[in-house]
Amino acid sequence: MRADIAGERVPALTAKEKCMETGDHKDCLGVIMPVRDALDVINGKWKLPIIIAISRGHKRFRDIERNIPKITSKVLSKELKDLEAHKLVKRSVFDSQPVSVEYTLTPYAATLNPVIDALFTWGTEHRKTIFGSSGSNGAH
Amino acid sequence: MRADIAGERVPALTAKEKCMETGDHKDCLGVIMPVRDALDVINGKWKLPIIIAISRGHKRFRDIERNIPKITSKVLSKELKDLEAHKLVKRSVFDSQPVSVEYTLTPYAATLNPVIDALFTWGTEHRKTIFGSSGSNGAH
DNA sequence: TAAAGCACTATCCTAAAAGTAACCGCCTTA
DNA sequence: TAAGGCGGTTACTTTTAGGATAGTGCTTTA
């Protein structure tokens, strides 16, 4: 398990534009590295679905579990810990009669919205491309 | 709405009732499924880096390999096949001396640009968040 | 009193992803 | 003649993700 940051360079923000504008294709590392950093946090099939479920108002363990098709307790438990370690999810325990636990998104998780939006949009279009324009039935 | 966690009991709704009451359930799946469709295509640590490398002008096998840190021939070969199967990459063989092979992106791959942009932007910020605040450079 | 919900954890196991290393034939350059 | 580039393939091993199944201690509900 490595929450690593690939490489040592920190391109100020021009790496990509510079690369595209000049047609200089020597350095694609400036684009690849940050993308890989992002993928390292987001990877696996469960992390984004979990974030989405929580953002939709599902705070409790069983509630999240119920709303993500095919996920198991074990996987959910592990992924929530990962997400907490990455400061994307906060776990709060309330000392009520049956102790209850709530998972909420941190403000930092909100910065992932553009990523989720882009994936949602692309995924929606991709689905149409694959199943044809009349397919509305989820095949999972 | 959340008075029950403070200890005072409120007629407990089952999770399903809560869900139907708020209407969250349906919305949740409607977002999760397309995102998972997208992740199914993009997942793994190599596919997006490969697409980025090709988009930067690296068309030849060895050229792509050289520009993606740590990738091996075996993995590159397999991932290129996957990308071809997903209609994101085109493989062209030129009958020159010696026979040369070029990999290019399809127009469909260009539709992934918003996804790559979002990941690039988030990854860049994420890296700053991890290293940036206290000025220590812990890159390996 | 039994069943069921909650928030998990434990154990075992398989399939896939990924790493390592060697190797292919073909061609060019030194 | 050797070294090295090209576009890969094959075989083997390790690592990881994730599925299946069960069970924990607690509380509430029927």
Side-chain angles (χ1 to χ4, degrees), chain A residues 91-109:
Chain A
R91 182 179 185 269
S92 313
V93 180
F94 296 95
D95 196 7
S96 47
Q97 325 311 352
V99 169
S100 77
V101 181
E102 283 192 3
Y103 295 90
T104 48
L105 298 184
T106 64
Y108 189 44

Side-chain angles (χ1 to χ4, degrees), chain B residues 58-69:
Chain B
H58 302 289
K59 302 170 186 292
R60 311 289 296 270
F61 190 91
R62 293 287 179 203
D63 197 15
I64 298 166
E65 189 178 0
R66 245 181 268 112
N67 281 279
I68 300 175

